[in-house]
Amino acid sequence: MSRALPWAQHRLGAGEFARFGEGDGITVGVVDTGVSASAEALRGRVAGAPAALRDCVGHGTFMAGIVAAAPRSGVQFSGLAPASRILAARGTDASGVAGADLVAQGIRTTVDGGADVVVVSAALARTTRELTSAVRYAQQHDVLIVAPAVPDSQYGQPGLTDAAAAPEQFWPAAQQGVLAVVDVDIDGNRPDGGLVPLRADLAAPGQAVTGIGPLGEGHYLANGASVAAAFVAGAAALVRAHEPGLTAAQVAERLKRGSYPADVPRLDVVAALTGLPPSERPGRTFQDSSVRLRPAAGHNPAQGRAVALAGLCLVGALVLGAVRWLTVRARRAEGA
């Protein structure tokens, strides 16, 4: 259980932006491995087709929790927009492997279902006519799409063999109008050896991030640009709820304009909500180094590599694992 405020929420200023609201009335589409309707922190706020309400891999539920997990007694972790609703759609096959046409259908499904913001976990080496059309469809319906600018892993992506041969653009993040996000660690740095995209709009926490799983009340750690994209989607939900007159494009611009200056501008939720750049508002900046990660319970530094994501439904103890394009590391996090 997470009994201390996780570093990502601390760094983003959770105590400050909560006073602006909790995302009431906003629906966030999650196009991923599905979102478990049984997840305690999301109970009663997840909708979708039956297949999308099961999450054997766990990644989609983790993403949804970053956006919308409700606060619970004795637990410090909660989502950025805990009053928002989640609309789940599959963007992967049953084993968690993403495909452009699956992502395209997931985007259309969430748009038609009334989503205001859609977060996509996939970063694909190629786009298709269907995916390009789906993104435009969302934009025509005033829906903001947020996506990782790079894949969580260079392995398992069609057309990718190693980082040196990797393309600089990944889809749908590379499409105009999509908010492209990269991950940073507690010190604001990209991971060693991380791919460098041609374009990235925002950076957000994406290393050793605490979140929920599909079953039970435990917490887990995950890495990747997809995780960072979920934080940006949660921030977008807060802005859309706080400033309902803004269009999707204006929300994106507000998030970018309010970001903390860096090589890739870093998400600043309060600045986005107030419309003030970080330099013009009082308070802590992203670069504050007052917190440091502590190992998750049972963590062995010699085993600090990503754990393989299992594409099997979980029975009893929950395991988050690595499918080809995901590098989510599952660990029981106590006090993280």
Side-chain angles (χ1 to χ4, degrees):
M1 299 291 287
S2 180
R3 304 187 190 282
L5 185 66
W7 78 265
Q9 278 80 359
H10 177 93
R11 188 56 52 86
L12 292 174
E16 298 178 63
F17 61 69
R19 61 192 171 93
F20 293 95
E22 297 184 333
D24 302 75
I26 299 299
T27 297
V28 178
V30 177
V31 180
D32 202 326
T33 59
V35 177
S36 173
S38 300
E40 184 64 31
L42 299 171
R43 192 176 297 276
R45 292 182 294 121
V46 182
L53 297 181
R54 298 188 298 272
D55 183 15
C56 297
V57 175
H59 192 268
T61 304
F62 192 97
M63 297 276 287
I66 290 173
V67 174
R72 289 178 290 159
S73 177
V75 177
Q76 291 295 314
F77 170 80
S78 63
L80 267 67
S84 63
R85 300 183 65 83
I86 297 295
L87 180 58
R90 281 284 181 88
T92 72
D93 63 17
S95 65
V97 179
D101 291 348
L102 291 171
V103 172
Q105 183 57 52
I107 291 172
R108 286 184 177 272
T109 297
T110 53
V111 171
D112 289 342
D116 304 285
V117 178
V118 173
V119 59
V120 176
S121 289
L124 300 167
R126 301 184 185 94
T127 190
T128 62
R129 180 180 301 176
E130 290 77 11
L131 181 54
T132 300
S133 175
V135 170
R136 288 175 180 163
Y137 183 74
Q139 293 167 346
Q140 290 165 359
H141 287 76
D142 194 34
V143 177
L144 176 61
I145 296 184
V146 184
V150 293
D152 291 344
S153 170
Q154 67 264 34
Y155 305 107
Q157 293 275 2
L160 290 181
T161 55
D162 55 57
E168 293 180 320
Q169 295 188 97
F170 297 91
W171 308 88
Q175 189 164 337
Q176 185 175 6
V178 176
L179 266 181
V181 183
V182 293
D183 51 320
V184 293
D185 62 19
I186 194 169
D187 294 315
N189 300 319
R190 293 294 319 287
D192 292 340
L195 299 177
V196 179
L198 189 64
R199 174 183 66 85
D201 297 307
L202 289 169
Q207 296 293 309
V209 169
T210 300
I212 64 172
L215 299 173
E217 298 183 353
H219 290 87
Y220 302 84
L221 297 180
N223 301 325
S226 65
V227 176
F231 280 110
V232 174
L238 290 176
V239 174
R240 295 216 82 165
H242 184 61
E243 298 279 1
L246 296 179
T247 66
Q250 289 170 332
V251 171
E253 185 60 29
R254 178 75 74 87
L255 289 165
K256 290 188 287 186
R257 190 174 67 243
S259 59
Y260 188 87
D263 290 342
V264 178
R266 300 172 191 155
L267 176 66
D268 188 306
V269 182
V270 176
L273 286 164
T274 60
L276 294 174
S279 60
E280 295 182 16
R281 69 174 182 85
R284 188 172 53 250
T285 71
F286 194 99
Q287 288 185 325
D288 170 68
S289 57
S290 61
V291 292
R292 285 290 180 268
L293 283 180
R294 287 181 291 151
H299 175 69
N300 180 347
Q303 299 173 339
R305 300 295 180 188
V307 177
L309 265 174
L312 302 174
C313 290
L314 306 177
V315 178
L318 176 67
V319 180
L320 288 176
V323 285
R324 302 173 198 159
W325 60 280
L326 303 171
T327 57
V328 175
R329 300 190 299 186
R331 293 270 195 284
R332 284 279 179 186
E334 182 172 347

